[in-house]
Amino acid sequence: MLVGSDESGTTAAVDALRAGKVVAFPTETVFALAASVNEPAAIDEIFRRKARGKDVPLPVLCATLDQADALAVITGRARRLAEQYWPGPLTLVCPRRRDIALDVGGDPATIGVRVPNHPVAATILARVGPLVATSANLHSEEPCERAQDAEALFGASMIVVREEPDSGTASATPASGTSSTVLAVDDRGEVTAILRQGDLFPSS
């Protein structure tokens, strides 16, 4: 079901996430499929909807660096990059804090975290908390850039937040269409690999 990005629409998305459902909403990169970190069944549903194996992990979107800090060990160069480029299209795959028992697939000792730079995503994250999220697409296919594409792909039963409010009083914030840059980070905060190159080329 398509909803606007106004208070009514974002509240519908927040309520759905808190009820253990998967929702879709815009980020500054591509449309995201998201579930609360507190809802394992909804996280599993993301893997199912995307036809994605658990060998390919899902990242976590956060409202702030402090939220990301509670999940991942962000130190050294990784912390400097986070402070410089967040909110923005940079995902850091860092050592996971030992008390975080969250099944997002992949290596259980690491976790990918990002703070997105989009007003809709920021509003939802501030109200719900960290969300396991990934591009709205079938695995290995092109990500959705528009709400209508996400609804057509995943069905009208899921809450999909449009880029613009129902009232039409504000303009949409467009997605770039390019997924975030993903960097692997070790326990000293050093970047060990570029796992995916997006539009962002971090330099410090």
Side-chain angles (χ1 to χ4, degrees):
M1 178 177 68
L2 287 175
V3 298
S5 60
D6 49 16
E7 175 65 22
S8 174
T10 55
T11 295
V14 166
D15 289 346
L17 288 163
R18 288 174 175 166
K21 298 183 183 302
V22 176
V23 305
F25 56 76
T27 75
E28 80 278 26
T29 55
V30 296
F31 251 78
L33 284 182
S36 169
V37 294
N38 300 315
E39 299 291 343
I43 297 170
D44 286 344
E45 184 181 346
I46 291 179
F47 282 104
R48 181 183 62 78
R49 283 181 177 269
K50 283 178 67 79
R52 178 170 175 163
K54 282 202 168 184
D55 57 315
V56 184
L58 300 174
V60 178
L61 297 184
C62 300
T64 63
L65 175 54
D66 284 345
Q67 273 191 7
D69 253 336
L71 301 171
V73 179
I74 308 172
T75 188
R77 186 187 178 206
R79 190 166 197 86
R80 294 193 297 273
L81 290 171
E83 290 171 345
Q84 180 176 358
Y85 292 106
W86 284 354
L90 175 66
T91 300
L92 298 173
V93 180
C94 301
R96 187 186 305 204
R97 294 202 178 274
R98 293 181 180 179
D99 59 340
I100 301 300
L102 178 63
D103 184 6
V104 291
D107 182 358
T110 65
I111 190 166
V113 288
R114 180 167 90 87
V115 177
N117 186 22
H118 192 283
V120 174
T123 296
I124 293 171
L125 287 161
R127 294 177 62 182
V128 181
L131 299 173
V132 176
T134 183
S135 56
N137 62 307
L138 297 179
H139 186 54
S140 299
E141 295 190 3
E142 289 299 310
C144 298
E145 297 178 34
R146 303 184 309 150
Q148 292 87 345
D149 299 331
E151 185 191 39
L153 182 60
F154 294 108
S157 61
M158 186 174 66
I159 294 289
V160 178
V161 184
R162 293 201 307 266
E163 300 89 335
E164 69 282 350
D166 283 331
S167 64
T169 57
S171 60
T173 302
S176 71
T178 303
S179 297
S180 66
T181 295
V182 182
L183 304 180
V185 175
D186 64 19
D187 57 4
R188 294 174 295 124
E190 293 300 317
V191 175
T192 59
I194 300 173
L195 301 179
R196 182 177 67 205
Q197 183 63 68
D199 289 335
L200 185 66
F201 291 81
S203 60
S204 64

